[in-house]
Amino acid sequence: MPRDQESPRRLAVLDVLRDADGPLGVNEVAERVGIHPNTVRFHLDALITKGAVDQTLEESSGPGRPRTVYAPHRGMDRGGKRGYQLLAQILLSQLASKGPDAEAAVVETGRAWGQHLIEPAAPFHQVSAREAVDRLTELLADRGFDPVPDGDPGEAPDSIRLRHCPFLELAEEYGNIVCPLHLGMMQGALAKLDAPVTATRLEPFVQPDVCVAHLAPVRAA
């Protein structure tokens, strides 16, 4: 949860720990924040769960049980705001600036990742065209493309309709980079299976809510 969505008391507990010269016990935190120790324990438990606070036992200098103390976890706040889409836009804009050479590079990148993302076929098993397309469809479904193979059941389809794009906004802005990346990913996955079929073309936004991946038999070398 981002910092600005945390409860004020929980933030106050965390700030007291951050401002302290060393780990504090529950009663010390309660005194500094001005709330009941049980309330402090509640917020400390939540902060420990999210990884913002560490709990340790203080070394005992005499008889009796060692005291439990708390300190802020050292490291960046993992509950803060993220900007992954901005990062993707920055990287895609740099790729797009390379002109025609960029498409070939991203297709190869997609192929490498497609081979990485799909489970290989069992040893000595020859994957049929239908099985290969089924495996590819499962991979695309897992990645959020909502794929639907075209054609009759039991036959290898010649296309797959993609009804959702998990990178829609980026594809709308940088389709010349994102779509070839997707095509390469499909080609790499099918190549990893040594399938008798490959993806030949990705036709974006054939309809407002559908892209189409076209398939064809692999030509003999």
Side-chain angles (χ1 to χ4, degrees), residues 187-200:
Q187 291 174 344
L190 291 168
K192 182 72 172 183
L193 297 173
D194 196 20
V197 63
T198 189
T200 57

Side-chain angles (χ1 to χ4, degrees), residues 4-221:
D4 59 4
Q5 295 181 22
E6 291 277 20
S7 73
R9 282 186 173 178
R10 189 164 301 165
L11 289 175
V13 168
L14 185 56
D15 286 340
V16 161
L17 293 175
R18 285 174 172 167
D19 292 340
D21 294 332
L24 299 176
V26 170
N27 290 334
E28 291 170 305
V29 176
E31 182 178 349
R32 298 187 188 192
V33 178
I35 57 178
H36 194 278
N38 287 343
T39 305
V40 169
R41 289 189 181 91
F42 169 76
H43 290 302
L44 285 172
D45 286 344
L47 291 167
I48 290 169
T49 298
K50 67 176 288 189
V53 167
D54 295 328
Q55 173 184 295
T56 58
L57 291 177
E58 192 175 53
E59 291 186 11
S60 177
S61 58
R65 297 174 59 186
R67 188 174 67 132
T68 301
V69 292
Y70 304 86
H73 180 76
R74 297 303 177 188
M76 287 287 184
D77 180 8
R78 295 190 176 275
K81 184 178 180 181
R82 298 291 191 266
Y84 295 127
Q85 184 163 342
L86 174 59
L87 174 62
Q89 288 176 306
I90 292 170
L91 296 175
L92 288 172
S93 67
Q94 196 275 339
L95 278 173
S97 70
K98 295 184 178 298
D101 293 339
E103 181 173 338
V106 296
V107 167
E108 286 304 313
T109 300
R111 285 177 182 150
W113 272 94
Q115 292 186 38
H116 169 70
L117 291 172
I118 199 162
E119 287 288 331
F124 312 113
H125 174 65
Q126 179 60 53
V127 176
S128 68
R130 180 72 227 190
E131 181 185 353
V133 174
D134 287 344
R135 292 280 303 279
L136 176 62
T137 302
E138 290 175 6
L139 172 63
L140 293 170
D142 289 342
R143 300 296 154 182
F145 288 91
D146 193 13
V148 177
D150 292 320
D152 297 328
E155 297 182 1
D158 57 10
S159 63
I160 301 175
R161 286 178 290 132
L162 308 175
R163 300 178 298 182
H164 179 263
C165 178
F167 312 115
L168 178 60
E169 291 79 12
L170 296 172
E172 289 174 335
E173 188 173 0
Y174 298 106
N176 62 321
I177 300 295
V178 176
C179 296
L181 185 70
H182 292 162
L183 176 63
M185 184 180 73
M186 289 184 272
Q187 291 174 344
L190 291 168
K192 182 72 172 183
L193 297 173
D194 196 20
V197 63
T198 189
T200 57
R201 183 164 55 101
L202 178 58
E203 197 172 2
F205 305 114
V206 173
Q207 300 173 13
D209 56 349
V210 174
C211 299
V212 177
H214 295 275
L215 308 172
V218 173
R219 294 181 180 180

